Amino acid sequence: MSHPSRLPAILQAVMQGQPRALADSHYPRWHHAPVTGLMNDPNGFIEFAGRYHLFYQWNPLACDHKFKCWGHWSSADLLHWQHEPIALMPDEEYDRNGCYSGSAVDSQGTLTLCYTGNVKFDDGSRTAWQCLATENADGTFTKLGPVLPLPEGYTGHVRDPKVWQHEGRWYMVLGAQDLQKRGKVLLFSSADLHEWTSQGEIAGYGINGLDDAGYMWECPDLFALGDQHVLICCPQGVPREKERYLNTYPAVWMSGDFDYHRAAFEHGELHELDAGFEFYAPQTMLTSDGRRLLVGWMGVPEGEEMLQPTLTNGWIHQMTCLRELEFIDGQLYQRPLRELSALRGEAHGWAGNSLPLAPMEIVLQTTGDDILSLDF
């Protein structure tokens, strides 16, 4: 059963909200940001038919996470982006509580979205469907419906399909939580994107020696880089350390050997992907010239996001700058997208001697009436 269209309300929200957002002194000049409402995870990052596409989680109706669409930008050069029609709205029974994150692929010349349909029930439980949608000639998308139900042995927290093709076969990694409330990454394979076969768990709590790896792993992304495979993921519930995992939820990477035939990923330790205080849900894509690009959400769920000053102007969050990834000598390197250099203006510099400091006297109160004076 389809639900009533929210397009009139979305259009009204954009018309009323965009002028406020653009007038906000916090609104970025070249980072991706919503025209109104809340934006979070990057989705469907892909180069297709000569253009780059970046979809994103978007609630145009409010600065909260209650109504999740897929917004859509496209670009010819990774610098100048234009708005495309809204790609997905939660208007079917299988995605009625949100079109959650996912990816995009080129399926026989058709831009195809792979996303999670989120369904919540009145008793507090939930389920998740992995779904497909294909692009139409006018830039809109037609939903094909669910292709993978909730796998047995896992809670309703199974989401964020990242799909790719290898030697003529499709593969999908999913973030998941098992019935013991442990975070996992699941692997599936398919010949046609419609019928999927489970290949088991390839990472997470209890795998490759990870004994305390959190209660849910979100937004997995597995790809070859250099002579290794790299898995990026967002584990929730990882214990904080003195200098790592200080955000509410972190984003991590691990590298190792992935064997397609055995469906096994032998990887090393977890490394924090970004030490900043607002970084989550990164997703990568492979360009036609062989570069692995990454973009992340400059925000963290359930953190301090609702204290942001932009809320008063009806918008919140933005994307990181696009980055190029390299794997060198066991380390993952991230560099700003080389195309960004075209945005640089004339360089300005300053050189000179520092001003001399004036003499300073520090007076310390000790015991009784004794005074200790130090001159610098």
Coordinates of all heavy atoms in Angstrom, one line a residue, residues 33 40 42 59 110 132 150 268 275 300 304:
A33 N 25.7 20.8 1.4 CA 24.8 21.0 2.6 C 23.4 21.0 2.1 O 23.1 21.3 0.9 CB 25.2 22.4 3.3
N40 N 22.3 13.8 6.5 CA 23.3 12.9 7.1 C 24.0 12.1 6.1 O 24.7 12.6 5.2 CB 22.8 12.2 8.3 CG 21.6 11.3 8.1 OD1 20.5 11.7 7.6 ND2 21.7 10.0 8.4
P42 N 26.1 10.2 3.3 CA 26.3 10.1 1.9 C 25.8 8.7 1.4 O 26.1 7.7 2.0 CB 27.8 10.4 1.6 CG 28.4 9.9 2.9 CD 27.5 10.2 4.0
N59 N 16.2 14.8 5.5 CA 14.8 15.1 6.0 C 14.5 16.6 5.7 O 15.0 17.5 6.5 CB 14.7 14.9 7.5 CG 13.3 15.2 8.0 OD1 12.4 15.5 7.3 ND2 13.1 15.0 9.3
T110 N 21.9 0.9 -16.5 CA 20.9 1.6 -15.7 C 21.4 1.9 -14.4 O 21.9 1.1 -13.7 CB 19.6 0.7 -15.6 OG1 19.1 0.4 -16.9 CG2 18.5 1.4 -14.8
L132 N 15.7 -2.2 -4.2 CA 16.2 -1.7 -5.4 C 15.3 -0.6 -6.0 O 14.1 -0.6 -5.8 CB 16.4 -2.7 -6.4 CG 17.4 -3.9 -6.1 CD1 17.4 -4.9 -7.3 CD2 18.8 -3.4 -5.8
L150 N 15.0 -9.7 6.1 CA 15.9 -9.7 7.3 C 16.5 -11.1 7.4 O 15.8 -12.1 7.5 CB 15.1 -9.4 8.5 CG 15.9 -9.2 9.8 CD1 16.7 -7.9 9.7 CD2 14.9 -9.1 11.0
G268 N 43.7 -6.9 9.9 CA 44.5 -6.5 11.1 C 43.6 -5.7 12.0 O 42.4 -5.8 12.0
A275 N 40.2 11.6 13.1 CA 40.2 12.0 14.5 C 39.4 13.2 14.8 O 39.5 13.7 16.0 CB 41.7 12.2 14.9
V300 N 27.7 13.4 13.7 CA 27.7 12.1 14.4 C 26.3 11.9 15.0 O 25.8 12.9 15.6 CB 28.8 12.1 15.5 CG1 28.7 10.7 16.3 CG2 30.2 12.2 15.0
E304 N 26.2 15.7 19.8 CA 25.8 17.0 20.2 C 25.2 17.8 19.0 O 25.1 19.0 19.0 CB 27.1 17.8 20.6 CG 27.7 17.2 21.9 CD 29.0 17.9 22.3 OE1 29.5 18.7 21.5 OE2 29.5 17.6 23.4

